[in-house]
Amino acid sequence: MREFVMTLGIGFCLDMVFGDPHWLPHPIRLIGALISSLEKLMRKCFPATRGGELFGGTVLVVFVLALSTAVPFFFLQLAGFLHPYVRLAVGSIMCYQLLAAKSLRVESMKVYARLAEGDLDGARKAVSMIVGRDTAKLSEEGVAKAAVETVAENTSDGVIAPMFYMALGGPVLGFFYKAVNTMDSMIAYKNDRYLYFGRTAARLDDLCNFIPARLSAVLMILTSGFLRLDIRGAIKICRRDRYNHKSPNSAQTESVCAGALGVELSGDAWYFGVLHKKETIGDGKRPVVPGDIRLANRLMYGTAALGLLVFGGLSAALYF
């Protein structure tokens, strides 16, 4: 539908300008609240056994996906009854709220600003807002590396993947993806609490990100050439290290970023006081420095712009 191209383009522009104002109610926070409430209900309804938790987690996934797509579908239909331009406006706002390019840049650049001021404690606090690892003892390089990693990884999860699904199915399919991604971030941990309860959510997230993650890597490689970064290094490290992560998708863009910048990313990290052994990504031709946060954001923005052109063209070819 022509509408998909228009809402995606308008939503993209709105995100570039406004980002994610904290005062504006965000539907993803509502999805998060829904997941938390349903988790409590499912744990009351099903036994704390392997089978019970697996089934309860699967039921949660079904309910979250049903509600997360039914509600935007209803509002779009209602808007369409009022006027086609009202539907276009509502759809554009929905697409805008599903993208996270500017908010990712804003939050990561707060880390850069603190490092540039020599405020390591402030930088640790700023980076703790965008990563899940323990940050209290990170060095300056460790803080910069964490920020670069989250920009690189979320180029796919927060920007390209939502664009891909919105180009195919508009805001409703975009909300489907974001619901999957939000469940993965909340209940798909490999610990005692979520090993079975979050398994369905984790597997579904792997499936939904399989194609977008690889498209993101290709787009980022092309962007690294446009930005005169090390495109040969990006290709080399992507080929070699794209599976150096427990997730089959997360290292796709991280490896491209590491190769394009000539740095080493990932590696061992502390989570909730426990050291997790992780493979490294990249050759580490030089240390990660604060300026790499700016470069990672340029790479993310360029990849997003290229993605808009590609997915806009894809949507136009499918529906015009």
Side-chain angles (χ1 to χ4, degrees), residues 36-149:
S36 296
S37 298
L38 284 175
E39 179 184 351
K40 294 175 183 177
L41 179 61
M42 292 302 106
R43 291 190 182 278
K44 289 180 180 179
C45 293
F46 299 101
T49 61
R50 174 177 178 174
E53 292 195 355
L54 184 60
F55 187 74
T58 302
V59 173
L60 179 147
V61 168
V62 172
F63 271 100
V64 170
L65 292 178
L67 288 171
S68 298
T69 53
V71 171
F73 177 80
F74 169 79
F75 279 110
L76 282 171
Q77 292 300 109
L78 179 61
F81 283 129
L82 296 175
H83 196 279
Y85 285 155
V86 176
R87 179 183 172 94
L88 177 65
V90 171
S92 298
I93 291 172
M94 287 181 176
C95 289
Y96 153 53
Q97 292 184 309
L98 293 172
L99 295 171
K102 184 166 184 180
S103 63
L104 184 60
R105 179 184 181 279
V106 168
E107 295 303 318
S108 61
M109 287 303 290
K110 289 179 182 177
V111 181
Y112 170 80
R114 299 290 83 75
L115 289 175
E117 295 167 357
D119 181 7
L120 181 55
D121 286 338
R124 288 167 174 164
K125 183 177 180 180
V127 82
S128 72
M129 299 294 105
I130 56 174
V131 301
R133 73 192 64 179
D134 298 343
T135 63
K137 297 181 180 179
L138 288 179
S139 64
E140 177 179 300
E141 182 182 2
V143 170
K145 180 189 288 190
V148 169
E149 287 172 9

Side-chain angles (χ1 to χ4, degrees), residues 83-310:
H83 196 279
Y85 285 155
V86 176
R87 179 183 172 94
L88 177 65
V90 171
S92 298
I93 291 172
M94 287 181 176
C95 289
Y96 153 53
Q97 292 184 309
L98 293 172
L99 295 171
K102 184 166 184 180
S103 63
L104 184 60
R105 179 184 181 279
V106 168
E107 295 303 318
S108 61
M109 287 303 290
K110 289 179 182 177
V111 181
Y112 170 80
R114 299 290 83 75
L115 289 175
E117 295 167 357
D119 181 7
L120 181 55
D121 286 338
R124 288 167 174 164
K125 183 177 180 180
V127 82
S128 72
M129 299 294 105
I130 56 174
V131 301
R133 73 192 64 179
D134 298 343
T135 63
K137 297 181 180 179
L138 288 179
S139 64
E140 177 179 300
E141 182 182 2
V143 170
K145 180 189 288 190
V148 169
E149 287 172 9
T150 198
V151 171
E153 182 178 347
N154 284 285
T155 298
S156 178
D157 291 359
V159 184
I160 299 300
M163 290 172 61
F164 172 77
Y165 283 104
M166 286 187 285
L168 291 178
V172 174
L173 195 57
F175 270 101
F176 178 94
Y177 169 75
K178 290 301 289 186
V180 171
N181 195 238
T182 305
M183 286 188 286
D184 180 71
S185 67
M186 291 181 65
I187 64 170
Y189 296 101
K190 291 185 178 180
N191 55 27
D192 292 340
R193 181 176 178 82
Y194 292 115
L195 182 60
Y196 301 115
F197 189 85
R199 181 166 294 182
T200 300
R203 294 291 182 268
L204 185 58
D205 184 77
D206 287 344
L207 178 63
C208 289
N209 277 299
F210 187 86
I211 293 175
R214 285 148 185 80
L215 288 174
S216 299
V218 172
L219 292 170
M220 189 177 281
I221 287 171
L222 294 173
T223 301
S224 68
F226 295 145
L227 296 179
R228 297 184 179 180
L229 298 173
D230 187 358
I231 187 172
R232 291 185 178 180
I235 295 171
K236 172 190 171 184
I237 300 303
C238 183
R239 283 179 172 177
R240 191 190 73 193
D241 295 348
R242 67 186 185 276
Y243 291 115
N244 286 8
H245 198 284
K246 291 182 179 179
S247 163
N249 304 314
S250 294
Q252 300 290 325
T253 46
E254 276 193 53
S255 60
V256 176
C257 185
L261 300 184
V263 299
E264 181 182 276
L265 300 178
S266 195
D268 298 349
W270 291 84
Y271 294 85
F272 305 106
V274 178
L275 178 63
H276 289 250
K277 307 294 287 185
K278 300 166 67 176
E279 293 185 80
T280 58
I281 298 172
D283 284 335
K285 298 176 181 178
R286 60 175 180 81
V288 180
V289 297
D292 289 321
I293 302 173
R294 298 180 66 181
L295 289 176
N297 276 293
R298 289 179 61 196
L299 197 53
M300 181 266 291
Y301 263 43
T303 302
L306 185 57
L308 179 65
L309 293 176
V310 171

